[in-house]
Amino acid sequence: MVLCESENDDTVIAYGAKPSVGGQSQRIIFREHPGMDCIVHFHCPPKPTASLPIRTQKPFECGSHECGKNTSQGLEQVAPGIKCVYLDNHGPNIVFHHDLDPKKVIEFINEHFDLSKSTDQVNREAL
């Protein structure tokens, strides 16, 4: 665990280790999508039957300001109370409000993602 203090939109002070830069991108997403305050992100591919908005991830450092802007611009309403964008060959960002029944998020994930694989595994197999 790392204690992180935010000085402003561009500066995070970490005590103990290097923090994830994800906090920077999350601020952008929450600011541009009022009412959303939770993000689920993991590294696995969509199921072949999934119909999701897709954006490229490759040009951006995961969690950077540019990544946050890319994610925010790609988010679409995919189910009641759930917005999502799939970062190609990387993984989804699923955004929702904390009052949403967690079962709805779990159902969405189970319906749209192949949790038996990781994108690392898929990307290695493609080589």
Side-chain angles (χ1 to χ4, degrees), residues 2 5 8 13 16 24 30 32 36 43 46 52 56 59 65 72-73 76 90 99 105-106 112 118-119 126:
V2 177
E5 292 180 0
N8 55 46
I13 299 172
Q24 299 297 338
F30 294 148
E32 294 181 0
M36 301 294 184
H43 301 130
L52 301 166
T56 186
H65 287 250
S72 184
Q73 292 168 356
E76 293 182 16
H90 185 73
D99 283 338
V105 178
I106 293 167
H112 292 89
S118 75
T119 48

Side-chain angles (χ1 to χ4, degrees), residues 33 53-55 69-76 84-86:
H33 297 271
I54 298 174
R55 306 263 309 188
K69 291 175 189 172
N70 183 47
T71 293
S72 184
Q73 292 168 356
L75 284 171
E76 293 182 16
C84 179
V85 61
Y86 185 77

Side-chain angles (χ1 to χ4, degrees), residues 40-45 86 90-94 109 113-115 119:
V40 172
H41 174 71
F42 50 90
H43 301 130
C44 87
Y86 185 77
H90 185 73
N93 281 318
I94 303 165
I109 291 169
F113 299 97
D114 184 350
L115 300 176
T119 48

Side-chain angles (χ1 to χ4, degrees), residues 11-12 17 38 58 77:
T11 306
V12 175
C38 295
K58 194 170 185 167
Q77 190 83 30

